[in-house]
């Protein structure tokens, strides 16, 4: 299949939802609204929303069904980037070649923009999807991004970054950071898309597991591309590039086998997984 | 009625839920979990949870019905305090006589603890209440605390605090800050309690309006008690103490009249409103 054509058809849908739900810059407080839009437009690959839409299609629903969770996971991803870039965290001045939110809007507005983006994620999901399905997808999302998930992973990632070499994280500790900081949100993207698409509990669980596997593989691929970054929580210095490539490919193969039974309808989901793990930039 | 006896019976319920849902300090990452617990134990007045429980009782449901929204609003309140105290915001070293979270745990952990508390609020509400009701209460909560509510109010409050006197906020601007920064969360506490208690849309709307009125009155009362704080967004320097007291009493009377028809069952709700607005500390 032609993944680029598939994406060219679906990406404008998510862009349109994000543009509609983000408050306009010409409404006050415009600094807050500008900061929220700065991190989302222009965006990155929109990988998480694409996975949500592909998961809905894999279970036989139109991509549109997944838009509330697709928008929610992209808003959460955006909030986490804004907070990770803060001076008290990774202290990054640039992201995707542009000044980070706190550089443009100041630290207080960056903290608050991240806070508002997290709230907006839940507002969109809970207002725009079927109430009972949205409550379950929202509960999964909230757990994935809290102390046991995304935020806990970031705490340990920061600690790994400041630990000296003699005290650096071991294999299990690094995998645990990948699972929480990266894979948990990717997992709820896929599972949430399937859930809003009408899948039952067993399929949702399979999709969640698929998402965890490709999430960890995606993070390993990211560390291979960016070997100088996040040394403390990267497998690359610990295992070497070749072993990391093998591990990512093994996780990808396991994940692909897990969704084999969904047939052709799941081909975009599988292609996205291959793209996420094998991309070169 | 005896409000202290009513509170002595209900407050332990909310304390128990908060203790159950907050991650234990002896589980890793313990700094994160310690920071989350630091702001919640010992707590403040637990006013918002009490209002949620009283609203459920006012519509004929047991207080327990409201616990998921009661815990959620207290967790959101806690997150907002942690972020408001940060060096880049109000830069407060003390809260309720104890060092603030960032003083004890560092700035990065304070930002992340606030983030995780916000997620936990949605996790509790969406996991522990009836799914369809929780989705509606969660959508209301998410809107109340986002860019158009709590966070937007904080942005304008910070701006008012740094504006010089010649450029200080006028009456409408200050009321708008009160409505968003304080009253929006109090309003969803009351409305959410009624909603989980089974109230229909018209009653939920009445409760929301009651909450907005007592929320603004509560903030005016707060500014009267703390006349040196937040001068930029306080009505006290603008109108004088006497006019502020009159305005708070008028709002309280309007709010009390709005819930008159709920009869004796709503007496705890009315007593809480009187306490919130007339307290001396």
């Amino acid at each position: 299949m032609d993944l680029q054509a598939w994406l060219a058809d679906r990406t404008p849908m998510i862009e349109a939802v994000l543009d509609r739900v983000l408050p306009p810059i010409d409404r006050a407080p415009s600094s807050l609204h500008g900061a929220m839009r700065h991190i989302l437009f222009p965006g990155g690959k929109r990988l998480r929303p694409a996975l949500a839409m592909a998961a809905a299609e894999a279970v036989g629903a139109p991509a549109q069904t997944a838009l509330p969770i697709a928008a929610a996971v992209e808003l959460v991803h955006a909030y986490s980037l804004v907070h990770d870039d803060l001076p008290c965290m990774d202290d990054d001045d640039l992201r995707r070649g542009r000044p980070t939110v706190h550089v443009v809007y100041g630290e207080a507005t960056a903290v608050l923009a991240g806070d508002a983006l997290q709230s907006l994620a839940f507002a969109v999901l809970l207002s725009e999807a079927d109430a009972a399905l949205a409550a379950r997808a929202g509960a999964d999302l909230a757990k994935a991004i809290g102390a046991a998930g995304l935020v806990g992973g970031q705490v340990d990632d920061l600690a790994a970054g400041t630990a000296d070499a003699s005290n650096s994280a071991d294999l299990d500790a690094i995998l645990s950071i990948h699972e929480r900081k990266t894979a948990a949100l990717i997992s709820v993207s896929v599972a949430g898309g399937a859930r809003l698409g009408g899948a039952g509990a067993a399929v949702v669980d399979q999709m969640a597991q698929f998402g965890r596997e490709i999430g960890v593989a995606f993070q390993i691929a990211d560390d291979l591309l960016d070997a100088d970054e996040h040394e403390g929580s990267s497998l690359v210095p610990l295992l070497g590039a070749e072993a990391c490539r093998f591990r990512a490919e093994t996780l990808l193969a396991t994940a692909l086998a897990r969704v084999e039974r969904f047939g052709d309808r799941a081909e975009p989901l599988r292609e996205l997984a291959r793209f996420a793990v094998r991309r070169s930039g």
Side-chain angles (χ1 to χ4, degrees), chain A residues 192-270:
Chain A
R195 200 189 278 284
L196 295 195
V203 167
V204 170
D205 285 350
Q206 274 183 307
M207 291 291 187
Q209 188 56 33
F210 167 90
R212 270 189 292 274
E213 287 152 354
I214 65 164
V216 172
F218 171 79
Q219 184 59 54
I220 295 173
D222 220 50
D223 289 339
L224 281 163
L225 289 169
D226 234 352
D228 295 336
E229 294 256 330
H230 292 286
E231 278 215 358
S233 61
S234 167
L235 289 181
V236 182
L238 192 70
L239 302 181
E242 201 45 49
C244 285
R245 238 169 253 119
F246 181 77
R247 189 176 274 265
E249 282 294 328
T250 307
L251 281 163
L252 176 62
T254 308
L256 293 176
R258 200 177 290 286
V259 298
E260 198 52 51
R261 74 176 186 83
F262 295 100
D264 286 352
R265 293 189 312 203
E267 193 50 27
L269 187 63
R270 289 189 291 265

